[in-house]
Coordinates of all heavy atoms in Angstrom, one line a residue:
M1106 N 114.4 100.6 82.5 CA 113.7 101.6 83.3 C 113.0 102.7 82.4 O 112.5 103.7 82.9 CB 114.7 102.3 84.2 CG 115.1 101.4 85.4 SD 113.7 101.0 86.4 CE 114.4 100.2 87.7
D1107 N 113.1 102.5 81.0 CA 112.4 103.4 80.1 C 110.9 103.5 80.5 O 110.2 104.5 80.2 CB 112.5 102.9 78.7 CG 113.9 103.2 78.1 OD1 114.6 104.0 78.7 OD2 114.3 102.6 77.2
F1108 N 110.4 102.4 81.0 CA 109.0 102.3 81.4 C 108.6 103.4 82.3 O 107.5 104.0 82.2 CB 108.7 100.9 82.0 CG 107.3 100.8 82.5 CD1 106.3 100.3 81.6 CD2 106.9 101.1 83.8 CE1 105.0 100.2 82.0 CE2 105.6 100.9 84.2 CZ 104.6 100.5 83.3
F1109 N 109.5 103.8 83.2 CA 109.3 104.8 84.2 C 109.5 106.2 83.7 O 108.8 107.1 84.1 CB 110.1 104.5 85.5 CG 109.7 103.2 86.2 CD1 110.4 102.1 86.0 CD2 108.5 103.2 87.0 CE1 110.0 100.9 86.6 CE2 108.1 102.1 87.6 CZ 108.8 100.9 87.4
T1110 N 110.5 106.3 82.9 CA 110.8 107.7 82.4 C 110.0 108.2 81.3 O 109.8 109.4 81.1 CB 112.3 107.7 82.0 OG1 112.6 106.8 81.0 CG2 113.2 107.5 83.2
N1111 N 109.4 107.3 80.5 CA 108.6 107.6 79.3 C 107.1 107.3 79.4 O 106.5 107.2 78.4 CB 109.2 107.0 78.1 CG 110.6 107.4 77.8 OD1 111.0 108.6 78.0 ND2 111.5 106.5 77.4
N1112 N 106.6 107.1 80.6 CA 105.2 106.6 80.7 C 104.4 107.7 81.3 O 104.4 107.9 82.5 CB 105.2 105.3 81.5 CG 103.8 104.6 81.4 OD1 102.8 105.3 81.3 ND2 103.9 103.3 81.4
P1113 N 103.5 108.3 80.5 CA 102.7 109.4 81.1 C 101.6 108.9 82.1 O 101.2 109.7 82.9 CB 102.0 110.0 79.9 CG 102.1 108.9 78.8 CD 103.3 108.1 79.1
R1114 N 101.4 107.6 82.1 CA 100.4 107.1 83.1 C 101.0 107.1 84.5 O 100.2 107.0 85.5 CB 100.1 105.6 82.7 CG 99.3 105.5 81.4 CD 99.1 104.1 80.9 NE 98.7 103.2 81.9 CZ 98.8 101.9 81.7 NH1 99.3 101.4 80.6 NH2 98.4 101.0 82.7
L1115 N 102.2 107.4 84.6 CA 102.8 107.5 86.0 C 102.8 108.9 86.5 O 103.2 109.1 87.7 CB 104.3 106.9 85.9 CG 104.4 105.5 85.6 CD1 105.9 105.1 85.4 CD2 103.7 104.6 86.6
N1116 N 102.4 109.8 85.8 CA 102.5 111.2 86.2 C 101.6 111.5 87.5 O 102.0 112.3 88.3 CB 102.0 112.2 85.1 CG 102.9 112.2 83.9 OD1 104.1 111.8 84.0 ND2 102.5 112.7 82.8
N1117 N 100.5 110.8 87.6 CA 99.6 111.1 88.8 C 99.7 110.0 89.9 O 98.9 110.0 90.8 CB 98.2 111.2 88.3 CG 98.0 112.4 87.3 OD1 98.6 113.4 87.5 ND2 97.3 112.2 86.3
I1118 N 100.7 109.2 89.8 CA 100.8 108.1 90.8 C 101.6 108.7 92.0 O 102.5 109.5 91.9 CB 101.5 106.9 90.3 CG1 101.2 105.7 91.2 CG2 102.9 107.1 90.0 CD1 101.5 104.3 90.5
S1119 N 101.2 108.3 93.2 CA 101.8 108.8 94.4 C 103.3 108.3 94.5 O 103.7 107.3 93.9 CB 101.1 108.3 95.7 OG 101.4 106.9 95.9
P1120 N 104.2 109.1 95.1 CA 105.6 108.8 95.2 C 105.8 107.4 95.9 O 106.7 106.6 95.5 CB 106.2 109.9 96.1 CG 105.2 111.0 95.9 CD 103.9 110.4 95.7
E1121 N 104.9 107.0 96.9 CA 105.1 105.7 97.5 C 104.8 104.6 96.6 O 105.5 103.6 96.6 CB 104.1 105.6 98.7 CG 104.3 106.6 99.8 CD 103.7 108.0 99.6 OE1 102.9 108.1 98.6 OE2 104.0 108.9 100.3
K1122 N 103.8 104.8 95.8 CA 103.4 103.7 94.8 C 104.5 103.6 93.7 O 104.8 102.6 93.2 CB 102.0 104.0 94.2 CG 100.9 103.7 95.2 CD 99.6 104.0 94.6 CE 98.5 103.8 95.7 NZ 97.2 104.1 95.1
L1123 N 105.0 104.8 93.3 CA 106.0 104.8 92.2 C 107.3 104.1 92.7 O 107.9 103.3 92.0 CB 106.3 106.2 91.8 CG 107.3 106.4 90.7 CD1 106.8 105.7 89.4 CD2 107.5 107.9 90.4
Q1124 N 107.6 104.4 94.0 CA 108.8 103.7 94.6 C 108.6 102.2 94.6 O 109.5 101.4 94.3 CB 109.0 104.3 96.0 CG 110.2 103.6 96.7 CD 111.5 103.9 96.0 OE1 111.7 105.0 95.4 NE2 112.4 102.9 96.0
F1125 N 107.4 101.8 95.0 CA 107.1 100.4 95.0 C 107.2 99.7 93.6 O 107.8 98.7 93.5 CB 105.6 100.2 95.5 CG 105.3 98.7 95.8 CD1 105.6 98.1 97.0 CD2 104.6 98.0 94.8 CE1 105.3 96.8 97.2 CE2 104.2 96.7 95.1 CZ 104.6 96.1 96.2
L1126 N 106.7 100.4 92.6 CA 106.8 99.9 91.2 C 108.3 99.8 90.8 O 108.7 98.8 90.2 CB 106.0 100.8 90.3 CG 104.5 100.7 90.3 CD1 103.9 101.8 89.4 CD2 104.1 99.3 89.7
M1127 N 109.0 100.8 91.2 CA 110.5 100.8 90.8 C 111.2 99.7 91.5 O 112.1 99.1 90.9 CB 111.1 102.2 91.1 CG 110.5 103.3 90.2 SD 111.1 104.9 90.5 CE 112.8 104.8 89.9
E1128 N 110.9 99.4 92.7 CA 111.5 98.3 93.4 C 111.2 97.0 92.8 O 112.0 96.1 92.6 CB 111.1 98.3 94.9 CG 111.7 99.4 95.7 CD 111.1 99.4 97.1 OE1 110.4 98.5 97.6 OE2 111.4 100.4 97.8
M1129 N 109.9 96.8 92.3 CA 109.5 95.6 91.6 C 110.3 95.5 90.3 O 110.7 94.4 90.0 CB 108.0 95.6 91.4 CG 107.2 95.3 92.5 SD 105.5 95.1 92.1 CE 105.6 93.8 90.8
A1130 N 110.4 96.5 89.6 CA 111.1 96.5 88.3 C 112.5 96.2 88.4 O 113.1 95.6 87.5 CB 110.9 97.8 87.6
S1131 N 113.1 96.5 89.6 CA 114.6 96.3 89.7 C 114.9 94.9 90.1 O 116.0 94.4 90.1 CB 115.2 97.3 90.7 OG 114.7 97.0 92.0
Q1132 N 113.9 94.1 90.6 CA 114.1 92.7 91.0 C 114.1 91.9 89.7 O 113.4 92.1 88.8 CB 113.0 92.3 91.9 CG 113.0 93.1 93.2 CD 111.9 92.7 94.1 OE1 111.1 91.8 93.8 NE2 111.7 93.4 95.2
P1133 N 114.8 90.7 89.8 CA 114.7 89.8 88.7 C 113.3 89.3 88.5 O 112.7 88.9 89.5 CB 115.7 88.7 89.1 CG 116.4 89.2 90.3 CD 115.7 90.3 90.9
Q1134 N 112.8 89.3 87.3 CA 111.5 88.9 87.1 C 111.5 87.5 86.3 O 112.4 87.2 85.6 CB 110.7 89.9 86.2 CG 110.6 91.3 86.9 CD 109.9 91.3 88.2 OE1 108.9 90.5 88.3 NE2 110.3 92.1 89.1
G1135 N 110.4 86.8 86.5 CA 110.3 85.5 85.8 C 110.0 85.8 84.3 O 109.5 86.8 83.9
A1136 N 110.2 84.7 83.5 CA 110.0 84.9 82.1 C 108.7 84.1 81.6 O 108.5 84.1 80.4 CB 111.2 84.3 81.4
T1137 N 108.0 83.6 82.5 CA 106.8 82.9 82.1 C 105.5 83.5 82.8 O 105.7 84.1 83.8 CB 106.8 81.4 82.5 OG1 106.8 81.3 83.9 CG2 108.1 80.7 82.0
P1138 N 104.4 83.2 82.3 CA 103.1 83.7 82.9 C 103.0 83.2 84.3 O 102.6 83.9 85.2 CB 102.0 83.2 82.0 CG 102.7 83.1 80.7 CD 104.1 82.7 81.0
K1139 N 103.4 81.9 84.6 CA 103.3 81.4 85.9 C 104.2 82.1 86.9 O 103.8 82.4 88.0 CB 103.7 79.9 85.9 CG 103.6 79.2 87.2 CD 103.9 77.7 87.1 CE 103.9 77.1 88.5 NZ 104.2 75.7 88.4
D1140 N 105.4 82.4 86.4 CA 106.3 83.2 87.2 C 105.8 84.6 87.5 O 105.9 85.1 88.6 CB 107.7 83.3 86.6 CG 108.4 82.0 86.5 OD1 108.2 81.1 87.3 OD2 109.3 81.9 85.6
M1141 N 105.1 85.2 86.5 CA 104.6 86.5 86.6 C 103.5 86.5 87.7 O 103.4 87.4 88.5 CB 104.0 87.0 85.3 CG 103.5 88.5 85.4 SD 102.3 89.0 84.2 CE 100.9 88.2 84.8
M1142 N 102.6 85.5 87.7 CA 101.6 85.4 88.6 C 102.1 85.3 90.1 O 101.6 85.9 91.0 CB 100.6 84.3 88.3 CG 99.9 84.4 87.0 SD 99.1 86.0 86.8 CE 97.9 86.0 88.1
S1143 N 103.2 84.5 90.2 CA 103.8 84.3 91.5 C 104.4 85.7 92.0 O 104.2 86.1 93.1 CB 104.9 83.3 91.4 OG 105.6 83.2 92.6
S1144 N 105.0 86.4 91.0 CA 105.6 87.7 91.4 C 104.5 88.7 91.7 O 104.6 89.5 92.7 CB 106.4 88.3 90.2 OG 107.5 87.5 90.0
L1145 N 103.4 88.6 91.0 CA 102.2 89.5 91.3 C 101.6 89.2 92.7 O 101.3 90.2 93.4 CB 101.2 89.4 90.2 CG 100.0 90.3 90.2 CD1 100.5 91.8 90.2 CD2 99.1 90.0 89.1
M1146 N 101.5 88.0 93.0 CA 101.0 87.6 94.3 C 101.9 88.1 95.4 O 101.5 88.6 96.5 CB 100.7 86.1 94.4 CG 99.6 85.6 93.5 SD 98.1 86.5 93.6 CE 97.6 86.0 95.3
S1147 N 103.2 87.9 95.2 CA 104.2 88.4 96.2 C 104.2 89.9 96.3 O 104.2 90.4 97.5 CB 105.6 87.9 95.8 OG 105.7 86.6 95.8
A1148 N 104.0 90.6 95.2 CA 103.9 92.0 95.3 C 102.7 92.5 96.0 O 102.7 93.5 96.8 CB 104.0 92.6 93.8
A1149 N 101.6 91.8 95.8 CA 100.3 92.2 96.4 C 100.5 92.0 97.9 O 100.0 92.9 98.7 CB 99.2 91.3 95.9
N1150 N 101.1 90.9 98.3 CA 101.3 90.7 99.8 C 102.2 91.8 100.4 O 102.0 92.3 101.5 CB 101.8 89.3 100.0 CG 100.8 88.3 99.8 OD1 99.6 88.5 99.9 ND2 101.2 87.1 99.4
A1151 N 103.3 92.1 99.7 CA 104.3 93.1 100.1 C 103.6 94.5 100.2 O 103.8 95.2 101.2 CB 105.5 93.1 99.2
A1152 N 102.8 94.8 99.3 CA 102.1 96.1 99.3 C 101.1 96.1 100.5 O 101.0 97.1 101.2 CB 101.3 96.3 98.0
K1153 N 100.4 95.0 100.7 CA 99.5 95.0 101.8 C 100.2 95.2 103.1 O 99.7 95.9 104.0 CB 98.7 93.6 101.7 CG 97.7 93.5 102.8 CD 97.0 92.1 102.7 CE 95.9 92.0 103.8 NZ 95.3 90.6 103.7
D1154 N 101.3 94.5 103.2 CA 102.1 94.6 104.5 C 102.5 96.1 104.7 O 102.7 96.5 105.9 CB 103.3 93.7 104.4 CG 103.0 92.2 104.5 OD1 101.8 91.9 104.9 OD2 103.8 91.4 104.2
K1155 N 102.8 96.8 103.6 CA 103.2 98.2 103.8 C 102.0 99.2 103.8 O 102.3 100.4 103.8 CB 104.2 98.6 102.6 CG 105.5 97.8 102.7 CD 106.4 98.2 101.5 CE 107.7 97.5 101.6 NZ 108.6 97.9 100.5
G1156 N 100.8 98.7 103.7 CA 99.6 99.5 103.7 C 99.4 100.3 102.4 O 98.7 101.3 102.3
V1157 N 100.0 99.7 101.3 CA 99.8 100.3 100.0 C 98.7 99.6 99.2 O 98.8 98.4 99.1 CB 101.2 100.3 99.2 CG1 101.0 100.8 97.8 CG2 102.3 101.0 99.9
K1158 N 97.8 100.4 98.7 CA 96.7 99.8 97.9 C 96.7 100.3 96.5 O 96.9 101.5 96.3 CB 95.3 100.1 98.6 CG 95.2 99.4 99.9 CD 93.8 99.8 100.5 CE 93.7 99.1 101.9 NZ 92.4 99.4 102.5
F1159 N 96.5 99.4 95.5 CA 96.5 99.8 94.1 C 95.2 99.7 93.6 O 94.5 98.6 93.8 CB 97.5 99.0 93.3 CG 99.0 99.2 93.7 CD1 99.6 98.4 94.7 CD2 99.7 100.2 93.1 CE1 100.9 98.7 95.0 CE2 101.0 100.4 93.4 CZ 101.6 99.7 94.4
D1160 N 94.7 100.6 92.7 CA 93.5 100.5 92.0 C 93.7 99.7 90.8 O 94.8 99.3 90.5 CB 92.8 101.8 91.8 CG 93.6 102.7 90.8 OD1 94.4 102.2 90.0 OD2 93.5 104.0 90.9
N1161 N 92.7 99.4 90.0 CA 92.8 98.6 88.8 C 93.8 99.1 87.8 O 94.6 98.3 87.2 CB 91.5 98.4 88.1 CG 90.6 97.4 88.9 OD1 91.0 96.7 89.7 ND2 89.3 97.5 88.7
S1162 N 93.8 100.4 87.5 CA 94.8 100.9 86.6 C 96.2 100.8 87.1 O 97.1 100.6 86.3 CB 94.4 102.4 86.2 OG 94.6 103.2 87.3
E1163 N 96.4 101.0 88.4 CA 97.7 100.8 88.9 C 98.2 99.4 88.9 O 99.3 99.1 88.7 CB 97.7 101.4 90.4 CG 97.5 102.9 90.4 CD 97.2 103.4 91.8 OE1 96.7 102.7 92.6 OE2 97.4 104.6 92.0
T1164 N 97.2 98.5 89.1 CA 97.5 97.0 89.0 C 98.0 96.7 87.6 O 98.9 95.9 87.4 CB 96.3 96.2 89.4 OG1 96.0 96.5 90.8 CG2 96.6 94.7 89.3
D1165 N 97.3 97.3 86.6 CA 97.7 97.1 85.2 C 99.1 97.6 85.0 O 99.9 97.0 84.2 CB 96.8 97.9 84.3 CG 95.4 97.3 84.2 OD1 95.2 96.1 84.6 OD2 94.5 97.9 83.7
L1166 N 99.6 98.7 85.6 CA 100.9 99.1 85.5 C 101.9 98.1 86.1 O 103.0 97.8 85.5 CB 101.1 100.4 86.2 CG 100.5 101.7 85.6 CD1 100.7 102.9 86.5 CD2 101.2 102.0 84.3
I1167 N 101.5 97.5 87.2 CA 102.4 96.4 87.8 C 102.5 95.3 86.8 O 103.6 94.8 86.6 CB 101.8 96.0 89.1 CG1 101.8 97.1 90.2 CG2 102.5 94.7 89.6 CD1 101.1 96.8 91.5
V1168 N 101.4 94.9 86.2 CA 101.5 93.8 85.3 C 102.4 94.1 84.1 O 103.2 93.3 83.6 CB 100.1 93.4 84.8 CG1 100.1 92.4 83.6 CG2 99.3 92.9 86.0
E1169 N 102.3 95.4 83.6 CA 103.2 95.8 82.5 C 104.7 95.7 82.9 O 105.5 95.2 82.1 CB 102.9 97.2 82.1 CG 101.7 97.4 81.2 CD 101.6 98.8 80.8 OE1 102.6 99.4 80.3 OE2 100.4 99.4 80.8
V1170 N 105.0 96.0 84.1 CA 106.4 95.9 84.6 C 106.8 94.5 84.6 O 107.9 94.1 84.1 CB 106.5 96.5 86.0 CG1 107.8 96.1 86.7 CG2 106.4 98.0 86.0
L1171 N 105.9 93.6 85.1 CA 106.2 92.2 85.2 C 106.3 91.5 83.8 O 107.1 90.5 83.6 CB 105.2 91.4 86.0 CG 105.1 91.8 87.5 CD1 103.9 91.1 88.2 CD2 106.4 91.4 88.2
K1172 N 105.6 92.0 82.8 CA 105.6 91.4 81.5 C 106.8 92.0 80.6 O 106.9 91.5 79.5 CB 104.3 91.7 80.8 CG 103.2 90.9 81.4 CD 101.9 91.0 80.6 CE 101.6 92.2 79.8 NZ 100.2 92.2 79.2
Q1173 N 107.5 92.9 81.0 CA 108.5 93.6 80.2 C 109.5 92.6 79.5 O 109.8 92.8 78.3 CB 109.4 94.6 81.0 CG 108.6 95.8 81.4 CD 109.5 96.8 82.1 OE1 110.4 97.4 81.4 NE2 109.4 96.8 83.4
N1174 N 109.9 91.6 80.1 CA 110.9 90.7 79.5 C 110.3 89.4 79.0 O 111.0 88.4 78.7 CB 112.0 90.4 80.6 CG 112.7 91.6 81.0 OD1 113.0 92.5 80.1 ND2 113.0 91.7 82.3
M1175 N 109.0 89.3 78.8 CA 108.3 88.1 78.3 C 108.3 88.1 76.8 O 108.3 89.2 76.2 CB 106.9 88.0 78.8 CG 106.8 87.6 80.2 SD 105.0 87.4 80.6 CE 105.1 87.0 82.3
S1176 N 108.2 86.9 76.2 CA 108.0 86.8 74.8 C 106.5 87.3 74.5 O 105.7 87.3 75.4 CB 108.2 85.4 74.3 OG 107.1 84.6 74.9
D1177 N 106.2 87.6 73.2 CA 104.9 87.9 72.9 C 103.9 86.8 73.2 O 102.7 87.1 73.7 CB 104.8 88.3 71.4 CG 105.5 89.6 71.1 OD1 105.7 90.4 72.0 OD2 105.8 89.8 69.9
S1178 N 104.3 85.6 73.0 CA 103.4 84.5 73.3 C 103.1 84.4 74.8 O 101.9 84.2 75.2 CB 104.1 83.2 72.8 OG 103.3 82.1 73.3
D1179 N 104.1 84.6 75.6 CA 103.9 84.5 77.1 C 103.1 85.7 77.6 O 102.3 85.6 78.5 CB 105.2 84.4 77.8 CG 105.8 83.0 77.8 OD1 105.0 82.1 77.5 OD2 107.0 82.8 78.1
K1180 N 103.3 86.9 76.9 CA 102.5 88.0 77.3 C 101.0 87.8 77.1 O 100.2 88.1 77.9 CB 102.9 89.3 76.5 CG 104.3 89.8 77.0 CD 104.6 91.0 76.1 CE 106.0 91.5 76.5 NZ 106.4 92.7 75.7
S1181 N 100.7 87.1 75.9 CA 99.3 86.8 75.6 C 98.7 85.8 76.6 O 97.6 86.0 77.1 CB 99.2 86.2 74.2 OG 99.5 87.1 73.3
K1182 N 99.5 84.8 77.0 CA 99.1 83.9 78.0 C 98.9 84.5 79.4 O 97.9 84.3 80.0 CB 100.1 82.7 78.2 CG 100.3 81.8 77.0 CD 101.4 80.8 77.2 CE 101.7 80.0 76.0 NZ 102.9 79.2 76.1
A1183 N 99.7 85.4 79.7 CA 99.6 86.2 81.0 C 98.3 87.0 81.0 O 97.6 87.0 82.0 CB 100.8 87.0 81.2
D1184 N 98.1 87.7 79.9 CA 96.8 88.5 79.7 C 95.6 87.6 79.9 O 94.6 88.0 80.5 CB 96.8 89.2 78.4 CG 97.8 90.4 78.4 OD1 98.2 90.9 79.4 OD2 98.2 90.8 77.2
M1185 N 95.6 86.4 79.3 CA 94.5 85.5 79.3 C 94.3 85.1 80.8 O 93.1 85.1 81.3 CB 94.7 84.3 78.4 CG 93.6 83.4 78.4 SD 93.8 82.0 77.1 CE 95.3 81.3 77.7
I1186 N 95.3 84.7 81.5 CA 95.2 84.3 82.9 C 94.6 85.5 83.7 O 93.8 85.3 84.6 CB 96.6 83.9 83.5 CG1 97.0 82.6 82.8 CG2 96.5 83.7 85.0 CD1 98.5 82.2 83.1
L1187 N 95.2 86.7 83.5 CA 94.7 87.8 84.3 C 93.2 88.1 84.0 O 92.4 88.4 84.9 CB 95.5 89.1 84.0 CG 96.9 89.1 84.5 CD1 97.8 90.2 83.9 CD2 96.9 89.2 86.0
N1188 N 92.8 88.0 82.8 CA 91.4 88.2 82.4 C 90.5 87.2 83.1 O 89.4 87.5 83.6 CB 91.2 88.2 80.9 CG 91.7 89.5 80.2 OD1 91.8 90.5 80.9 ND2 92.1 89.4 79.0
M1189 N 90.9 85.9 83.1 CA 90.1 84.9 83.8 C 90.0 85.2 85.3 O 89.0 85.0 85.9 CB 90.7 83.5 83.5 CG 90.6 83.0 82.1 SD 91.1 81.3 81.8 CE 92.6 81.1 82.6
M1190 N 91.1 85.6 85.9 CA 91.1 85.9 87.3 C 90.2 87.1 87.6 O 89.4 87.1 88.6 CB 92.5 86.3 87.8 CG 93.4 85.1 87.9 SD 95.1 85.6 88.4 CE 94.8 86.2 90.0
R1191 N 90.2 88.1 86.7 CA 89.3 89.3 86.9 C 87.8 88.9 86.8 O 87.0 89.4 87.5 CB 89.6 90.4 86.0 CG 90.9 91.1 86.3 CD 91.2 92.2 85.4 NE 92.4 92.9 85.8 CZ 93.3 93.5 85.0 NH1 93.1 93.5 83.7 NH2 94.4 94.1 85.5
K1192 N 87.5 88.0 85.9 CA 86.1 87.6 85.7 C 85.7 86.8 86.9 O 84.5 86.9 87.3 CB 86.0 86.7 84.4 CG 86.1 87.5 83.1 CD 86.0 86.7 81.9 CE 86.1 87.5 80.7 NZ 86.1 86.7 79.4
R1193 N 86.5 85.9 87.4 CA 86.2 85.2 88.6 C 86.0 86.1 89.8 O 85.1 85.8 90.6 CB 87.2 84.1 88.9 CG 87.2 82.9 88.0 CD 88.2 81.9 88.3 NE 88.2 81.5 89.7 CZ 89.1 80.8 90.3 NH1 90.2 80.4 89.6 NH2 89.0 80.5 91.6
K1194 N 86.8 87.1 89.9 CA 86.7 88.0 91.1 C 85.5 88.9 91.0 O 84.9 89.2 92.0 CB 88.0 88.8 91.1 CG 88.1 89.7 92.3 CD 89.5 90.4 92.3 CE 89.6 91.3 93.5 NZ 90.8 92.1 93.5
G1195 N 85.2 89.3 89.7 CA 84.1 90.3 89.5 C 82.8 89.7 89.6 O 81.8 90.2 90.1

């Protein structure tokens, strides 16, 4: 939970979004990029159901939470997958 206590990027996030991020961080996370993408999709659906919308910088924070326990190699793979998804979406 150091991510939450020592991250200045969270200073301006709404309490509802911060609570959502903390709930995600407390759940067991996958250790592979594929697992991370599955978790990200589940989180997006859960947020949508609760009426919570995240902008791009907030989405980046979610990804950071999901990547916390990955190896450096898997983090790189996850970043590559996310970049490809953003290019397709944009």
Side-chain angles (χ1 to χ4, degrees):
M1106 289 297 187
D1107 287 340
F1108 179 86
F1109 295 99
T1110 57
N1111 298 321
N1112 195 325
R1114 292 170 48 194
L1115 297 175
N1116 291 344
N1117 297 321
I1118 196 166
S1119 73
E1121 296 84 8
K1122 291 178 182 180
L1123 185 58
Q1124 180 64 34
F1125 187 82
L1126 286 170
M1127 292 176 72
E1128 286 174 12
M1129 283 187 57
S1131 67
Q1132 297 176 5
Q1134 301 298 326
T1137 68
K1139 183 179 177 181
D1140 293 336
M1141 186 201 74
M1142 296 310 298
S1143 176
S1144 294
L1145 187 57
M1146 295 305 292
S1147 294
N1150 289 333
K1153 184 179 177 183
D1154 291 344
K1155 292 181 179 182
V1157 177
K1158 295 181 182 180
F1159 292 93
D1160 64 26
N1161 287 339
S1162 64
E1163 293 166 338
T1164 301
D1165 290 343
L1166 287 173
I1167 293 170
V1168 171
E1169 281 186 47
V1170 168
L1171 294 172
K1172 291 189 326 183
Q1173 286 184 78
N1174 297 319
M1175 286 185 182
S1176 68
D1177 288 341
S1178 174
D1179 282 343
K1180 287 179 185 178
S1181 295
K1182 291 175 189 174
D1184 288 337
M1185 186 172 57
I1186 291 168
L1187 289 168
N1188 286 333
M1189 288 189 313
M1190 288 177 64
R1191 286 182 177 150
K1192 286 180 184 177
R1193 285 181 51 192
K1194 187 178 179 182

